[in-house]
Amino acid sequence: MKKNYKSVLLLVIFILFLILILIHSSDIGKLVTDYSLLFLTKLFPASFLFFLFSSLFIEYGLIEMIQYYFHFQASQFYVLFISLISGFPAGAKCIKELTEADIIDSDSANKMILFSHFPNPLFVFGSVGSVIGNYHLTLYLYLSIILSNIIIFLLQRYPKVQIKNTVPSFKDFSSVLGKSIMKSFQTILLIYGTSLFFYLMITLIIPYFSLTTYQYVFLNGLFDLTKGVFATELLHNSILRVLFILFFIQFGGISIHMQVKGILANSSISYYSFVKGRIVSTILSFFIFLLLGFII
């Protein structure tokens, strides 16, 4: 019965959203074009390449080779590294691929999803940095994000797994490349479609409400991370601007959560473990940011 109520509520929201699209039909084309251009020029180039190489590394047994030659479990370090350089939701995609390749079990995957949420460094020091307008504050923000996730990473205890005595056999490159490209594009399309949906939703709905500046900034960031980051330009206090952006990045926003939930669908990885990680990491990062500002 509860699920029926949820379905009815979602249908009502979809119908109202469709009505808004029809009312603003003359503006929809420009909104979609503007967001698509932003996605293609800023998000797609870096994300797609990292997704592709992550899949290639897993297919050709990079983790197994490291474990075979250096005799230590490398999967959690690999997830941390890929998540750090790629940006979200690369961590969720990487962890799911590791479970599908039977490299890690569901228990390890649910622990890794706690600390695998990092923004792309280019996004932080590019778009976010231009909004903040202060290099040191941008650096403190990024360090607080990294340190909070590393703390969670260090606190995890993983079950010991037996390292295989053989490395994976060579696979045909053309088939592996095609498979990796298809998987990467599938993830990219999920990210694009989800982000565009929530971008249009918040853009069309907000004008119908009388909001304060803080409410406007918060609602934008709650639905769409990128829109929320740029909305903080309305705030005159630079510290408050950074704290809003830190929350948007660390918690993720509804759009990011839906992307991760879509990636983790049909897997043994719990979405609620991701939510738990976001809450803990957000609290930690606020303390670390304030501490860095006080010490430095």
Side-chain angles (χ1 to χ4, degrees), residues 79 83 88-97 113 116 259-261 263-264 269 274:
V79 168
S83 303
F88 40 70
K93 177 181 181 295
C94 178
I95 294 168
K96 183 179 180 181
E97 289 178 341
I113 201 70
S116 61
Q259 292 170 25
V260 171
K261 196 168 186 178
I263 290 171
L264 300 182
I269 309 169
F274 174 77

Side-chain angles (χ1 to χ4, degrees), residues 64 67-69 71 101-103 161-168:
E64 292 98 322
Q67 293 178 162
Y68 176 77
Y69 289 112
H71 302 287
D102 201 27
I103 297 174
V161 295
Q162 187 173 0
I163 296 175
K164 297 178 181 179
N165 293 323
T166 58
V167 296

Side-chain angles (χ1 to χ4, degrees), residues 15-28 204 208:
I15 291 170
L16 292 175
F17 187 33
L18 181 59
I19 292 172
L20 282 176
I21 290 175
L22 293 173
I23 293 173
H24 298 277
S25 57
S26 59
D27 300 322
I28 292 298
L204 296 177
Y208 288 91

Side-chain angles (χ1 to χ4, degrees), residues 92-109:
K93 177 181 181 295
C94 178
I95 294 168
K96 183 179 180 181
E97 289 178 341
L98 290 175
T99 58
E100 291 174 342
D102 201 27
I103 297 174
I104 60 173
D105 58 20
S106 58
D107 184 33
S108 295

Side-chain angles (χ1 to χ4, degrees), residues 214-262:
Y214 296 114
Q215 290 171 337
Y216 176 83
V217 171
F218 178 76
L219 283 177
N220 272 284
L222 185 64
F223 278 85
D224 182 75
L225 167 66
T226 306
K227 196 168 175 58
V229 167
F230 287 108
T232 60
E233 291 181 320
L234 298 172
L235 304 175
H236 300 295
N237 187 305
S238 58
I239 299 296
L240 191 60
R241 187 183 302 168
V242 174
L243 292 176
F244 265 100
I245 293 174
L246 183 58
F247 173 77
F248 296 154
I249 291 176
Q250 280 292 71
F251 189 71
I254 295 174
S255 176
I256 299 294
H257 279 257
M258 292 300 100
Q259 292 170 25
V260 171
K261 196 168 186 178

Side-chain angles (χ1 to χ4, degrees), residues 70-90:
F70 296 98
H71 302 287
F72 80 97
Q73 190 176 352
S75 55
Q76 57 265 37
F77 294 96
Y78 175 77
V79 168
L80 182 67
F81 175 72
I82 290 295
S83 303
L84 181 61
I85 64 172
S86 304
F88 40 70

Side-chain angles (χ1 to χ4, degrees), residues 42 50 57 66 74 100 112 124 127 136 143 173 220 262 279:
K42 301 294 184 182
F50 281 120
F57 288 150
I66 294 173
E100 291 174 342
M112 291 179 188
V124 173
S127 300
H136 291 96
L143 285 175
F173 177 68
N220 272 284
I279 294 172

Side-chain angles (χ1 to χ4, degrees), residues 98-289:
L98 290 175
T99 58
E100 291 174 342
D102 201 27
I103 297 174
I104 60 173
D105 58 20
S106 58
D107 184 33
S108 295
N110 282 306
K111 290 179 178 179
M112 291 179 188
I113 201 70
L114 295 171
F115 60 79
S116 61
H117 183 82
F118 292 91
N120 190 296
L122 298 177
F123 172 68
V124 173
F125 290 101
S127 300
V128 173
S130 66
V131 170
I132 295 174
N134 184 306
Y135 176 78
H136 291 96
L137 287 178
T138 305
L139 182 61
Y140 296 164
L141 177 141
Y142 190 55
L143 285 175
S144 66
I145 293 170
I146 292 176
L147 291 174
S148 63
N149 281 287
I150 288 178
I151 289 171
I152 297 173
F153 164 74
L154 293 174
L155 292 175
Q156 302 306 308
R157 294 291 181 270
Y158 298 93
K160 289 187 176 181
V161 295
Q162 187 173 0
I163 296 175
K164 297 178 181 179
N165 293 323
T166 58
V167 296
S169 57
F170 182 79
K171 299 178 181 179
D172 179 64
F173 177 68
S174 60
S175 61
V176 170
L177 180 62
K179 178 182 177 182
S180 298
I181 289 173
M182 290 300 294
K183 289 169 69 175
S184 300
F185 263 114
Q186 185 178 16
T187 305
I188 285 290
L189 285 174
L190 172 65
I191 295 171
Y192 170 72
T194 306
S195 300
L196 178 61
F197 178 85
F198 285 103
Y199 172 81
L200 290 175
M201 178 178 282
I202 195 65
T203 302
L204 296 177
I205 289 176
I206 275 187
Y208 288 91
F209 295 90
S210 178
L211 302 173
T212 65
T213 302
Y214 296 114
Q215 290 171 337
Y216 176 83
V217 171
F218 178 76
L219 283 177
N220 272 284
L222 185 64
F223 278 85
D224 182 75
L225 167 66
T226 306
K227 196 168 175 58
V229 167
F230 287 108
T232 60
E233 291 181 320
L234 298 172
L235 304 175
H236 300 295
N237 187 305
S238 58
I239 299 296
L240 191 60
R241 187 183 302 168
V242 174
L243 292 176
F244 265 100
I245 293 174
L246 183 58
F247 173 77
F248 296 154
I249 291 176
Q250 280 292 71
F251 189 71
I254 295 174
S255 176
I256 299 294
H257 279 257
M258 292 300 100
Q259 292 170 25
V260 171
K261 196 168 186 178
I263 290 171
L264 300 182
N266 303 317
S267 74
S268 58
I269 309 169
S270 172
Y271 162 70
Y272 296 103
S273 294
F274 174 77
V275 175
K276 178 182 176 183
R278 295 304 86 241
I279 294 172
V280 175
S281 185
T282 300
I283 295 171
L284 278 174
S285 63
F286 271 95
F287 279 112
I288 294 171
F289 176 79

